[in-house]
Amino acid sequence: MRTKISKPIKVNVVTLGCSKNVVDSEILMGQLQANDFDVEHESSKNAEIVIVNTCGFIDNAKQESIDTILHYAREKEKGKIEKLIVTGCLSERYKPALEKEIKGVDNFFGTHDLPLLLKTLGADYKHELIGERLMTTPRHFAYMKISEGCDRPCSFCAIPLMRGQHVSKPIEELVKEAKVLAAKGTKELILIAQDSTFYGLDLYKERRLHKLMEQLAAVEGIEWLRVHYAFPSGFPLEILDVMRETPNICKYLDIPLQHASDNMLKSMRRGITREKTISLINTIREKVPGVAVRTTFITGYPGETEKDHETLLRFLEEMRFDRAGVFTYSHEENTHAYTLKDDVDEETKQRRLDELMQVQQQISYAVNQNKIGTTCKVLFDRKEGNYFVGRTEFDSPEVDNEVLVEAQHNYVRIGDFANIKITSAEAFDLMGVTV
Ligand code: SF4
């Protein structure tokens, strides 16, 4: 007797927030696919089940997550989807309130509930899939989450509330994951965590990021290894030697500093001073000549005076970071800073952000002018209109500068490297030709 083969259930996974959430969605999708679900990422096609992986970091991100949930709740009302599931940081942080206030959601899960979420869909969590995931980034680059959670006391940050304490993944597991990714065509591996420099302290009782970098860089096929989310206080200098000595480790470091006024750094509980920060950045530049330093700052933190702001402006002018982003302070419940008065008004926050970004734009423009006439190894991510768009080793996807090459007169393969001679430069983009 012929058995009726049921069509695989269609699942659409929607990811909000940071690259760590991207990895979580990819792992979830890998598990669903292994359980014979037909899984897509942010598909416009109808799906029986929609899973929204939310962000709960700061106000704007929370609002975007709520709007996305409401959008799919309306789709469900219209009968376009059968089941709506919400997971990720916002759900971890506000589950009771969300359950009360938002109708139409079948289940809310936290950030550590993957096996439970799968069980709810009648699927099993497959341990043998560790290191496997369904990629959502272009095949040639991948994020690698080396740990979960954070032990730092930063006063403004709600992440430890949503992600828990710091838990490093064993080196063997990460090397296995890198081999699987390289076999699938990954050439650029981007190491991410809440605090990548804390790596190993829990598991090996010592910092082991340098050892991890060495082993991942040795994986065949990995042509670029990039480090994000370093923490300034207790910074493991040994990673700089590995970065300098290992050709396929990008001379690039993302190290959020958040502020430069000692008054603010103390209140933010960052465990470092302006002087120590300057000496650290100088050491990083001495030990890794030509390194690109990316950082981020928060403006408008409780108690921030014009004098504090001026200190940060002068610091930015003095340190000339290759890449810098600025966020306005968001008053987050249950964080230490929430006990302080959010006394900098939105207009002042925005004015200070604009002033900081104006300084950074001028620095970035000047830094890029010096690149004209040089030849850079560029990894091409996509074709956009008449241009191939790629990045140098000094640029991470989605956050840093891009290199534009006219498609009419140059040919490069997406997902491949090419040597590009830089012919002109803007504040955040470079233009060039193949050589
Ligand atoms: S290092 Fe600080 S800012 Fe970063 S996730 Fe941890 S607590 Fe938050």
Side-chain angles (χ1 to χ4, degrees):
M1 188 184 73
R2 276 173 58 73
T3 54
K4 187 168 164 305
I5 300 169
S6 58
K7 261 185 346 135
I9 296 172
K10 272 192 187 331
V11 181
N12 181 16
V13 174
V14 178
T15 306
L16 299 157
C18 68
S19 51
K20 281 143 271 186
N21 245 17
V22 169
V23 174
D24 290 352
S25 287
E26 292 176 348
I27 292 169
L28 163 65
M29 293 166 69
Q31 289 282 343
L32 287 168
Q33 190 180 60
N35 279 279
D36 302 324
F37 285 85
D38 175 4
V39 194
E40 290 204 18
H41 192 241
E42 296 176 358
S43 156
S44 54
K45 282 182 258 147
N46 282 348
E48 280 111 310
I49 302 173
V50 171
I51 303 176
V52 181
N53 185 9
T54 59
C55 175
F57 185 37
I58 54 176
D59 281 350
N60 305 351
K62 291 191 276 188
Q63 193 53 51
E64 187 192 8
S65 292
I66 290 166
D67 294 346
T68 307
I69 299 169
L70 292 173
H71 164 74
Y72 285 106
R74 284 192 295 276
E75 295 288 282
K76 190 176 166 210
E77 250 171 47
K78 293 182 210 152
K80 289 194 177 164
I81 60 174
E82 285 163 30
K83 213 176 183 50
L84 174 56
I85 289 176
V86 173
T87 186
C89 290
L90 186 84
S91 188
E92 174 75 32
R93 193 172 172 194
Y94 298 109
K95 188 173 172 194
L98 292 170
E99 280 174 336
K100 217 164 95 229
E101 285 157 31
I102 301 186
K103 301 300 167 227
V105 174
D106 296 85
N107 307 88
F108 286 93
F109 293 103
T111 50
H112 295 80
D113 290 345
L114 179 56
L116 194 57
L117 188 163
L118 291 167
K119 198 154 175 252
T120 308
L121 295 177
D124 310 319
Y125 179 76
K126 298 184 182 299
H127 289 276
E128 68 277 17
L129 286 183
I130 286 189
E132 301 262 354
R133 46 187 154 124
L134 207 55
M135 307 305 292
T136 63
T137 54
R139 220 159 53 93
H140 57 273
F141 78 79
Y143 295 105
M144 173 172 274
K145 190 156 73 165
I146 65 173
S147 60
E148 181 60 281
C150 188
D151 289 5
R152 300 278 180 183
C154 306
S155 62
F156 51 81
C157 184
I159 292 173
L161 303 172
M162 301 179 281
R163 293 277 168 177
Q165 291 307 123
H166 183 106
V167 180
S168 301
K169 286 187 184 174
I171 288 188
E172 307 71 40
E173 231 179 76
L174 293 167
V175 170
K176 180 175 168 245
E177 189 177 335
K179 287 182 178 160
V180 171
L181 290 167
K184 285 185 185 170
T186 297
K187 295 175 178 161
E188 178 185 9
L189 206 50
I190 304 165
L191 304 190
I192 58 172
Q194 306 305 350
D195 171 5
S196 56
T197 40
F198 202 93
Y199 182 78
L201 271 178
D202 56 317
L203 191 54
Y204 308 113
K205 305 299 169 237
E206 62 177 23
R207 294 176 190 275
R208 288 251 182 116
L209 180 58
H210 62 301
K211 294 231 164 75
L212 175 64
M213 289 163 68
E214 274 169 351
Q215 293 195 32
L216 293 175
V219 171
E220 203 186 324
I222 300 299
E223 296 192 42
W224 275 356
L225 185 74
R226 190 182 298 281
V227 178
H228 271 250
Y229 301 104
F231 194 87
S233 135
F235 183 91
L237 295 175
E238 59 273 14
I239 72 165
L240 303 174
D241 302 327
V242 177
M243 188 179 278
R244 184 186 60 247
E245 303 299 332
T246 318
N248 64 336
I249 296 183
C250 296
K251 307 297 173 272
Y252 174 96
L253 186 68
D254 167 52
I255 179 166
L257 296 173
Q258 310 301 6
H259 216 289
S261 126
D262 287 340
N263 169 31
M264 289 288 101
L265 288 168
K266 190 154 180 277
S267 179
M268 286 176 166
R269 308 200 303 182
R270 293 289 289 177
I272 195 165
T273 62
R274 180 176 170 281
E275 275 321 304
K276 286 209 175 110
T277 305
I278 292 174
S279 113
L280 172 62
I281 300 299
N282 291 341
T283 304
I284 291 170
R285 287 173 169 163
E286 273 155 35
K287 284 192 168 263
V288 188
V291 67
V293 179
R294 147 170 273 281
T295 190
T296 40
F297 298 104
I298 292 175
T299 190
Y301 179 85
E304 186 188 58
T305 61
E306 273 309 317
K307 189 161 172 288
D308 294 319
H309 175 55
E310 284 299 322
T311 302
L312 183 52
L313 274 172
R314 297 292 83 75
F315 177 77
L316 209 51
E317 283 161 0
E318 195 187 317
M319 299 310 291
R320 299 182 67 76
F321 293 102
D322 304 83
R323 324 262 177 266
V326 183
F327 296 89
T328 54
Y329 171 73
S330 178
H331 208 40
E332 294 300 320
E333 305 101 328
N334 304 323
T335 62
H336 177 76
Y338 200 67
T339 61
L340 308 172
K341 192 163 180 308
D342 184 12
D343 56 0
V344 181
D345 63 64
E346 285 311 314
E347 208 185 313
T348 304
K349 282 179 185 169
Q350 194 55 49
R351 190 252 305 156
R352 288 178 182 171
L353 180 145
D354 295 343
E355 287 174 8
L356 290 162
M357 282 317 293
Q358 208 178 356
V359 168
Q360 184 55 30
Q361 181 156 356
Q362 287 158 8
I363 290 168
S364 188
Y365 181 80
V367 169
N368 280 350
Q369 291 307 306
N370 295 335
K371 297 240 163 83
I372 297 175
T374 67
T375 296
C376 302
K377 180 180 177 182
V378 172
L379 178 56
F380 283 89
D381 294 321
R382 66 186 188 282
K383 183 157 185 280
E384 208 172 286
N386 301 330
Y387 293 93
F388 293 112
V389 182
R391 290 169 293 110
T392 71
E393 73 170 289
F394 309 115
D395 300 295
S396 202
E398 289 150 27
V399 288
D400 290 329
N401 292 12
E402 291 184 321
V403 179
L404 281 69
V405 170
E406 261 194 277
Q408 206 183 353
H409 307 298
N410 300 275
Y411 177 70
V412 297
R413 256 207 316 256
I414 303 303
D416 222 341
F417 293 93
N419 288 326
I420 303 296
K421 181 164 186 192
I422 305 303
T423 51
S424 68
E426 303 292 330
F428 300 119
D429 286 326
L430 301 172
M431 303 286 286
V433 293
T434 52
V435 290

